[in-house]
Amino acid sequence: MKNITFITFLLYIFCATVYSQEIYSSDVTLKNGISKPSVLSTHPFGIFFSRIQGNFKIHPTKKTQLKINLESGNVWGTQIKTYIPNNIEVRNEVRNHQWHQAQYFFDEETLDAKSYELQIDGVIKGLRLKTSLNLGNKQELNIGLRLFMLSKGEAPFSILTSDRFIENFHKKIAGGSDPFDRKVFGYNKALIKYTDRNGNTLELNNNGLFVGGLETSYYYYPSSLVSKTYSMNFGAHLGYNLSSYNNSLDFGLSTNAIKVIPINKNQYFQIGLEIGFLRKELVSFSKNNVDFGTNNYLGNIESIIEYNIISKGNTTHSIGLDYYLQTSLNRRDELEYAIPIRHPDAHKSWGHGVTNLYRNNNYWSLLYSITKKTSLTFYLQQDFEVNNNPDIQTGISFTFNLK
């Protein structure tokens, strides 16, 4: 409810200020929209396919730009196996039990069912490169590459995203002592292992490096919907997944809007709203692709508010708060008859790795940017609802023009 309230609040302000007066001094240079790096989480499934996020620019980039994103996110989920009964009568019987109790009413040895098994532990490091090209006539083309590596998350390379830091935070500030059984299974380990319901297996170990894929995005900024303080653009997205676990093409569409709200000659707010739609695995190039969710159609909403202050020399300092929501990876109704099996050593939150595959995926990001001829952005991201996103994710982005 609080997430819907935040989006509704931004939408109200956005609509109420579309025709606000421009009061900027003629010697002040506004940056081109909101300074936002990639805020896509290092979700252990999401890193293997394309995802859509907001493009909050007033107009296409005037010069060819290169954006470099580095990210680090701690992911965790105890080992868990889940059965999906084939028989309709058995499914109806499972519906009479709570998901965490269903395992006690059925015999694994005789159960006619498909199954999948998941274990998540480690810090995912990501590198994203993106080039933006002006095509003329209010058009822009972005070409990107994403790479990832799984690590143990030891100091000094993962100070805020290490297991020990997160558990100290839980113990001393919020969450209580060891709320996710990290201490039970041990700190600073690196293993992501997933066997889907078709028997295809993914396994990443420490320092496991792979290319996630190539991404292209085309944006059109209609002249009738672009001004100095208001802009809309429409995007078409094509992603080519290159890993050995998912060799396929994804396709998506998005609508993006941004509004500049003046305060005085050197301070202003910006609000961005985005709605996107993605078709995963539109074209598959391998029969052995791992199944990263039974929902092939994913929708997303992103909203952001940013406060900007222009200092001497036309340097802009920006603070932003971003909210990202994506629909569930698995079909929601399946959870009603799924039978998760608790690992014998697990005590707390043992089912999150599975149950959250059936819930909307959402998180918040706090951003700080410095923009002049180049743009440098830092962000801290938090998944408050434990949706299999990182407990904590940090990132840095650097954008500059290419000569």
Side-chain angles (χ1 to χ4, degrees):
M1 184 64 184
K2 62 184 179 182
N3 300 330
I4 296 175
T5 302
F6 178 75
I7 295 174
T8 303
F9 171 72
L10 291 188
L11 183 60
Y12 171 78
I13 296 177
F14 187 95
C15 294
T17 57
V18 166
Y19 300 105
S20 61
Q21 184 180 3
E22 297 178 10
I23 58 173
Y24 302 103
S25 171
S26 60
D27 61 347
V28 170
T29 301
L30 296 183
K31 62 191 180 79
N32 183 16
I34 294 174
S35 300
K36 188 182 77 70
S38 170
V39 295
L40 296 175
S41 69
T42 58
H43 188 286
F45 281 11
I47 60 177
F48 290 99
F49 57 85
S50 306
R51 287 173 289 170
I52 297 173
Q53 60 181 319
N55 175 50
F56 301 126
K57 294 179 180 178
I58 296 291
H59 53 75
T61 179
K62 294 181 179 179
K63 298 181 179 180
T64 301
Q65 280 188 341
L66 177 64
K67 177 175 287 187
I68 303 172
N69 285 282
L70 295 172
E71 55 204 37
S72 176
N74 187 304
V75 293
W76 167 259
T78 57
Q79 184 177 352
I80 183 172
K81 188 172 185 177
T82 302
Y83 290 97
I84 308 298
N86 295 318
N87 188 284
I88 298 298
E89 294 181 357
V90 175
R91 291 184 179 184
N92 290 333
E93 175 62 25
V94 176
R95 286 186 169 97
N96 295 324
H97 308 285
Q98 295 182 342
W99 68 266
H100 58 279
Q101 295 289 328
Q103 62 177 311
Y104 302 114
F105 297 90
F106 301 92
D107 184 2
E108 290 185 62
E109 300 297 327
T110 60
L111 186 64
D112 178 21
K114 289 187 176 182
S115 67
Y116 61 93
E117 193 165 357
L118 178 63
Q119 181 179 357
I120 305 167
D121 189 5
V123 175
I124 297 176
K125 305 285 189 179
L127 169 64
R128 299 177 188 267
L129 304 174
K130 184 177 74 172
T131 300
S132 299
L133 306 169
N134 189 321
L135 301 181
N137 298 319
K138 304 292 184 178
Q139 300 175 86
E140 180 180 282
L141 178 67
N142 294 331
I143 302 173
L145 172 70
R146 65 181 196 273
L147 302 95
F148 299 98
M149 182 183 74
L150 182 67
S151 72
K152 294 181 178 180
E154 296 176 332
F157 303 107
S158 304
I159 297 175
L160 296 181
T161 55
S162 68
D163 286 347
R164 193 169 300 278
F165 176 86
I166 291 173
E167 289 311 316
N168 284 336
F169 178 88
H170 285 153
K171 181 178 180 180
K172 297 178 181 179
I173 300 177
S177 179
D178 197 26
F180 302 106
D181 281 342
R182 274 191 177 91
K183 290 182 179 179
V184 174
F185 291 91
Y187 286 165
N188 298 331
K189 296 184 178 180
L191 175 64
I192 294 178
K193 190 172 183 179
Y194 170 54
T195 301
D196 69 16
R197 63 195 71 201
N198 300 314
N200 299 316
T201 299
L202 174 157
E203 184 169 343
L204 289 179
N205 296 285
N206 186 41
N207 296 326
L209 177 66
F210 68 95
V211 178
L214 294 170
E215 298 173 346
T216 58
S217 298
Y218 165 83
Y219 293 104
Y220 175 61
Y221 301 73
S223 298
S224 60
L225 298 175
V226 176
S227 71
K228 186 177 181 182
T229 61
Y230 172 77
S231 177
M232 287 190 69
N233 63 82
F234 303 95
H237 310 266
L238 186 65
Y240 182 17
N241 304 305
L242 294 172
S243 76
S244 58
Y245 304 111
N246 184 20
N247 191 356
S248 64
L249 285 178
D250 303 325
F251 176 76
L253 299 170
S254 67
T255 299
N256 307 271
I258 180 174
K259 175 63 187 146
V260 181
I261 305 173
I263 301 175
N264 55 43
K265 67 178 184 180
N266 60 359
Q267 297 181 65
Y268 60 98
F269 281 99
Q270 296 188 98
I271 294 177
L273 296 170
E274 177 263 351
I275 298 176
F277 168 83
L278 179 73
R279 173 55 164 94
K280 289 190 327 181
E281 207 168 344
L282 178 65
V283 180
S284 177
F285 301 108
S286 172
K287 296 181 179 180
N288 298 317
N289 282 343
V290 175
D291 178 10
F292 291 109
T294 54
N295 267 341
N296 286 326
Y297 297 91
L298 299 178
N300 83 283
I301 296 175
E302 185 177 354
S303 55
I304 185 170
I305 183 169
E306 181 187 71
Y307 168 72
N308 301 273
I309 182 168
I310 304 173
S311 63
K312 293 181 178 180
N314 276 336
T315 298
T316 303
H317 298 266
S318 311
I319 297 177
L321 182 64
D322 183 282
Y323 173 71
Y324 186 94
L325 181 146
Q326 177 189 280
T327 54
S328 63
L329 294 177
N330 280 346
R331 296 189 182 95
R332 289 171 174 268
D333 64 324
E334 188 176 85
L335 185 58
E336 297 178 1
Y337 54 82
I339 307 175
I341 307 298
R342 182 178 68 87
H343 188 283
D345 295 333
H347 305 289
K348 304 174 183 178
S349 306
W350 59 269
H352 282 165
V354 166
T355 59
N356 285 314
L357 294 176
Y358 300 92
R359 298 189 177 114
N360 289 340
N361 188 292
N362 63 88
Y363 47 86
W364 295 81
S365 302
L366 180 66
L367 309 96
Y368 171 69
S369 302
I370 304 172
T371 304
K372 193 174 182 181
K373 292 182 179 180
T374 62
S375 183
L376 179 66
T377 303
F378 305 89
Y379 75 85
L380 177 67
Q381 187 178 108
Q382 175 67 60
D383 170 10
F384 290 102
E385 298 185 15
V386 196
N387 295 136
N388 293 349
N389 296 302
D391 287 345
I392 294 178
Q393 180 170 319
T394 59
I396 183 172
S397 174
F398 184 57
T399 304
F400 57 95
N401 294 329
L402 296 176
K403 294 182 179 181

